[in-house]
Amino acid sequence: MRVAETWFERREVGDGVSLFWEPHVHPFFRCNIWLVRGRERDLLIDSGMGLRALTPALGLTPGKPVIAAATHAHVDHIGSLHEFADRRGHAAEAAAYDDMPDDVTLADLFREIEGPVTALPGDGWTARDYRLTPAPLSRPLDGGEVIDLGDRRLRVLHLPGHSPGCVGFFDEARGVLFSGDALYDGELLDELRHSHVGDYAKTMARLTELPIAIGHGGHGPSFDEARKRTLIEEYLAGKRRQGCPGEATH
Ligand SMILES: [Zn+2]
Ligand SMILES: [Zn+2]
């Protein structure tokens, strides 16, 4: 397999927001990396697999501070977190960032998956030797905090269920929600090692009550308010079917 020339793709989504992703990574582990530019500082939301350095691909402004936030401690979202000095993630998963245990990060699933990459990140790379670099949080989040970028403010929302420490970031003035893996346009996962279906249902109820202009998820395409409602309804309908198998055919 050849070594990839470039590792990250980039697309401007408008209003100071850029999307980055890793096209050579297996779709299951290919997350959305969001860069939100503010007047005084930038916010990076998630950082991919860490297979190659992310910082050089971002086109950052020299000397401008960057806050690197993780929506949760799964392998596909935290690989390059160590490249940044200001690291934030939810307190419920804070310990995981210190030593990146497979049990929490699910990195073992990436090591074991068939066809983890379609091009090599570097000469002689093997999935078997893949390890995450520890990235202790400089500021654990509880939810409710506001991250102020100067001309835009994002509120931290604790959205557990997919994992205990899932957070979203909500620009209330613009109605822009960065929802991580709590909500995206694709199959939502609530049966991973530390997932909790009851918490997920509460998170969905909370997101239902949160009107958005646009949602940028941890995977898949962005979605508007109508699509948000459909995604939530489909998820909850699936849970009802599982809970009452006799009703599934009606
Ligand atoms: Zn996840
Ligand atoms: Zn993910």
Side-chain angles (χ1 to χ4, degrees):
M1 195 183 288
R2 71 185 172 89
V3 175
E5 278 176 36
T6 57
W7 194 255
F8 296 95
E9 298 272 1
R10 172 193 191 123
R11 186 160 61 79
E12 298 305 316
V13 300
D15 199 23
V17 178
S18 306
L19 166 64
F20 296 82
W21 69 96
E22 298 169 281
H24 303 299
V25 169
H26 189 291
F28 189 78
F29 289 95
R30 191 188 302 150
C31 96
N32 291 332
I33 300 166
W34 302 98
L35 181 65
V36 185
R37 278 182 229 80
R39 191 176 55 220
E40 289 164 25
R41 55 193 74 82
D42 296 338
L43 175 64
L44 179 74
I45 299 172
D46 289 332
S47 60
M49 296 293 303
L51 293 164
R52 264 204 212 168
L54 171 62
T55 315
L58 293 177
L60 298 169
T61 306
K64 190 180 182 190
V66 181
I67 298 166
T71 58
H72 61 304
H74 283 163
V75 58
D76 44 331
H77 300 260
I78 56 174
S80 283
L81 190 61
H82 66 95
E83 295 176 32
F84 304 86
D86 187 340
R87 300 184 291 263
R88 309 193 192 181
H90 195 268
E93 291 168 346
Y97 295 92
D98 295 343
D99 52 4
M100 302 290 194
D102 283 355
D103 176 55
V104 175
T105 67
L106 312 180
D108 51 314
L109 302 184
F110 179 68
R111 264 180 238 116
E112 291 159 13
I113 201 167
E114 186 87 18
V117 293
T118 53
L120 297 177
D123 246 343
W125 182 88
T126 68
R128 196 188 54 230
D129 296 329
Y130 174 76
R131 296 289 181 278
L132 283 161
T133 304
L137 298 179
S138 46
R139 200 181 300 188
L141 304 168
D142 292 315
E145 299 93 337
V146 170
I147 295 178
D148 190 346
L149 303 183
D151 54 346
R152 58 204 304 164
R153 294 154 56 82
L154 294 104
R155 186 170 297 281
V156 179
L157 309 177
H158 185 205
L159 305 172
H162 173 79
S163 82
C166 275
V167 289
F169 301 90
F170 187 45
D171 183 333
E172 291 164 325
R174 292 172 174 81
V176 179
L177 173 67
F178 296 90
S179 48
D181 283 5
L183 187 62
Y184 53 79
D185 197 338
E187 190 193 349
L188 300 173
L189 303 175
D190 62 6
E191 293 174 338
L192 300 169
R193 261 174 227 147
H194 298 279
S195 298
H196 189 289
V197 174
D199 286 347
Y200 215 144
K202 286 183 204 149
T203 283
M204 288 307 201
R206 185 174 181 196
L207 290 174
T208 300
E209 300 301 318
L210 191 79
I212 63 166
I214 191 160
H216 299 307
H219 300 268
S222 298
F223 48 89
D224 62 10
E225 172 68 19
R227 183 68 184 149
K228 181 200 86 175
R229 289 183 171 270
T230 301
L231 293 169
I232 292 172
E233 280 163 18
E234 285 178 352
Y235 170 81
L236 294 174
K239 292 300 110 183
R240 278 195 289 277
R241 273 202 304 278
Q242 284 176 19
C244 313
E247 292 174 2
T249 52
H250 298 301

